[in-house]
Amino acid sequence: ASSEVPLSGYATVLLNGSTLDFSDPNSHVTIDNFSRQMNGFVWSDDVGWISFGSTSNPAGPVVADTNGVLAGKAKAPNAGELDFSGSGSHVIISNGNFSGYVWSDDVGWIDFSNVKAIGYNPDLTPPSNASGIELHKTNGGLAVADGSWTNTNGYFSWTVAQDNANGSGV
């Protein structure tokens, strides 16, 4: 299964009611379940194409933190930015549903409450059962005590962590 989840629905520019239509066949924006990073472009009648990733967007990408709060900037190459980290902006993704507003110097506040990412379910659980690395003088031999030294090449051992099924290794 792909970790890239497509966005659908639309965001509304409060000033004039125009939309950023994520369901338009020419638009394609995704959010990654592992990195929580957005990528791709959406069309806006007000400012043209808007890039959410790092391609064609030196200010990007837009990324969700572990609480689902978006940060970063989406860039309209022919205009300004949607500043998800800016003062007053607060967009959250929870259970695949977006909520909140982002500020754009070009068009003002944009409401993201009608945007969805069906299947967005980031792996936020760290791997379990990992143990520290130990130095041994011989393969399978006794461990060298903390603070001690050895003049052999040595062998290292550790217990491998267990990640969730299809986990990201957070």
Side-chain angles (χ1 to χ4, degrees):
S2 174
S3 64
E4 295 284 325
V5 177
L7 273 61
S8 62
Y10 59 92
T12 305
V13 176
L14 298 183
L15 180 66
N16 60 17
S18 67
T19 61
L20 285 64
D21 188 355
F22 292 93
S23 295
D24 182 292
N26 294 314
S27 296
H28 186 70
V29 178
T30 61
I31 187 165
D32 188 89
N33 271 319
F34 296 156
S35 67
R36 301 180 310 278
Q37 176 177 316
M38 295 176 74
N39 198 16
F41 292 86
V42 68
W43 177 257
S44 163
D45 286 334
D46 292 316
V47 296
W49 289 108
I50 300 171
S51 172
F52 282 80
S54 54
T55 305
S56 302
N57 179 7
V62 176
V63 179
D65 69 12
T66 56
N67 295 313
V69 177
L70 296 182
K73 295 179 180 180
K75 174 79 172 129
N78 297 324
E81 302 166 334
L82 279 64
D83 189 356
F84 288 87
S85 303
S87 178
S89 292
H90 192 69
V91 177
I92 298 174
I93 180 172
S94 177
N95 297 319
N97 297 305
F98 286 73
S99 62
Y101 301 86
V102 65
W103 177 255
S104 165
D105 285 336
D106 293 304
V107 297
W109 290 108
I110 302 172
D111 178 2
F112 266 71
S113 63
N114 290 309
V115 177
K116 299 190 180 317
I118 306 303
Y120 178 68
N121 186 19
D123 177 12
L124 302 175
T125 306
S128 60
N129 300 326
S131 72
I133 296 175
E134 292 182 332
L135 171 64
H136 302 266
K137 282 188 173 190
T138 60
N139 191 6
L142 295 175
V144 176
D146 278 350
S148 298
W149 65 276
T150 180
N151 60 358
T152 64
N153 287 337
Y155 295 85
F156 292 93
S157 69
W158 59 89
T159 302
V160 177
Q162 302 297 312
D163 201 1
N164 296 332
N166 298 317
S168 65
V170 172

